[in-house]
Amino acid sequence: FGDGRRLTDLILLRDPRMNQPANTRVWLNVLQPDRWFHCVSGVAADTERMARVITGTAVGLVLSGGGARAYCHMGAIKALEEARVPIDFVGGASMGAVVAAGPALGWSFERLDYEIRRAFVESDPLSDLAFPIIAMSRARKVAGLLERAYGDIDLADLALPFFAVSSNLTSGRIEVHRTGLMRRAMRASIAIPGVLPPVVMDGQVLVDGAVLKNFPTSVMRQLNSGPIIGVDMSQTRGVDPAALENPPSWWKWVLSGAWKAGPPIVSILMRSATITTDAEMDQSRAAADVLILPKIGGTDIRDWKAYNEPVAAGYEATKAALADLPCPVGRIRNRPGSGAIAAGPEPTGA
């Protein structure tokens, strides 16, 4: 590995007649590899991916959290797909993990676009409001959407190496999800404190990954020695000051239908969960070899209907990033002291 570590890899080769990987956990429990890869016999793309992994040119994609503003990641994936930039490892935090799951599942951009629109744009994922004893939402709707999208898929069985992060309130550390029920891991990664109830796994209380690690490039670096592309929405402004200075009356809020997105306090809670310190942000961004910082306008962090503008912003920022590269992505590797290649205008801090 690039930093001198030695990793044990497991390559699982399956027959083309087997549509999806299955029972990977059995192999992992016996062999306990550091990394595992699924390949289909005779498929050139899988052979090429393993060649990139072996030669240290595999591309990792990391997507930050950011609520509805993380729709920018959709545009980034579209631009990467059009430019035929391979994605060999993928991971993220919070809403970034939800979007990152698409490539990991082997979905095309069209399929991912359909699923995100159905689950978030055409739905109101936070509309099942509850008396806020633990959280403002019951999360039944969110849980149903995740189950509908992922069923009983295990993270270990995904087509690409994938991770999602959550924040462990019991231990005070980040939790990296690479195995286990996908819908449970994703539910933990998006469990915004105060907005969605925490998830309890093995006696551990887990909340949104963005609380401790909103841009988990360091996790990707533990898995991939090749170049990392990072799309970061950590410091973009996601709360409308006017909505807080002049909040609507309770009746106006209900009658207007704005209650479906949750009250303005949801924006405060979501932004508080995804904000990060300058030191943490600088460290996370420095680990990316290609850093993409989309700039979008006034899209609120909880405005799930505002889809097209963030997608376009992510698309344009990624196209600009690729155009500015001095060489193909696979040949870029950020060395200590060299700095990441940043692309896209610097967002306004919140």
Side-chain angles (χ1 to χ4, degrees):
F1 213 69
D3 57 6
R5 289 180 295 124
R6 298 178 65 88
L7 300 183
T8 301
D9 290 340
L10 170 64
I11 301 175
L12 295 170
L13 188 65
R14 73 178 188 274
D15 190 285
R17 293 171 295 182
M18 183 178 177
N19 291 330
Q20 299 292 334
N23 301 318
T24 305
R25 293 280 291 277
V26 175
W27 291 95
L28 302 185
N29 291 338
V30 173
L31 300 176
Q32 298 186 347
D34 297 298
R35 306 185 299 183
W36 55 94
F37 304 91
H38 293 285
C39 297
V40 178
S41 179
V43 174
D46 287 346
T47 303
E48 292 167 0
R49 175 160 52 89
M50 292 313 305
R52 289 191 294 271
V53 171
I54 293 170
T55 58
T57 58
V59 178
L61 177 64
V62 180
L63 307 178
S64 76
R69 296 167 74 84
Y71 287 151
C72 283
H73 301 322
M74 295 292 297
I77 289 176
K78 180 180 181 181
L80 292 172
E81 187 174 289
E82 288 181 355
R84 298 191 177 184
V85 175
I87 299 175
D88 302 304
F89 295 80
V90 64
S94 194
M95 190 62 186
V98 173
V99 177
L105 285 160
W107 291 351
S108 65
F109 174 79
E110 288 72 20
R111 171 71 186 278
L112 179 58
D113 178 70
Y114 169 78
E115 295 291 348
I116 292 294
R117 285 180 181 274
R118 183 180 67 171
F120 294 94
V121 183
E122 298 170 5
S123 176
D124 295 299
L126 301 180
S127 61
D128 55 341
L129 300 179
F131 189 79
I133 297 176
I134 296 177
M136 299 194 65
S137 170
R138 296 181 180 87
R140 293 174 184 169
K141 194 165 188 178
V142 169
L145 291 169
L146 294 175
E147 184 172 5
R148 183 178 179 183
Y150 307 132
D152 292 329
I153 294 175
D154 192 294
L155 292 174
D157 293 328
L158 296 181
L160 294 181
F162 169 84
F163 69 84
V165 298
S166 64
S167 300
N168 190 322
L169 295 186
T170 305
S171 67
R173 301 176 180 177
I174 67 166
E175 198 77 21
V176 180
H177 302 273
R178 297 176 61 204
T179 62
L181 269 181
M182 187 173 189
R183 54 185 165 87
R184 288 286 288 168
M186 305 305 281
R187 170 68 179 81
S189 190
I190 63 173
I192 307 157
V195 178
L196 294 173
V199 172
V200 178
M201 289 187 185
D202 301 322
Q204 306 293 297
V205 180
L206 308 180
V207 297
D208 197 301
V211 172
L212 292 179
K213 187 69 70 172
N214 193 37
F215 190 36
T217 51
S218 59
V219 178
M220 178 63 76
R221 182 52 70 210
Q222 293 297 309
L223 297 173
N224 178 33
S225 63
I228 294 175
I229 299 174
V231 187
D232 185 20
M233 306 300 299
S234 295
Q235 294 297 87
T236 56
R237 189 182 302 277
V239 179
D240 180 11
L244 303 180
E245 291 178 339
N246 302 292
S249 67
W250 190 87
W251 283 109
K252 184 177 180 181
W253 174 65
V254 171
L255 294 174
S256 68
W259 65 271
K260 294 180 179 180
I265 191 176
V266 171
S267 293
I268 299 173
L269 292 170
M270 292 178 70
R271 185 66 183 112
S272 298
T274 58
I275 202 167
T276 186
T277 65
D278 289 342
E280 167 65 23
M281 180 183 67
D282 291 345
Q283 184 180 42
S284 296
R285 289 181 174 181
D289 299 291
V290 180
L291 178 62
I292 302 171
L293 306 171
K295 184 177 181 180
I296 56 178
T299 302
D300 190 273
I301 200 169
R302 64 194 168 103
D303 189 356
W304 303 108
K305 304 298 182 186
Y307 183 72
N308 293 331
E309 181 187 355
V311 172
Y315 179 78
E316 293 301 329
T318 304
K319 283 187 63 177
L322 297 177
D324 287 343
L325 294 180
C327 59
V329 174
R331 292 171 55 191
I332 293 175
R333 175 66 180 90
N334 184 23
R335 301 298 179 185
S338 65
I341 299 175
E346 181 71 25
T348 302

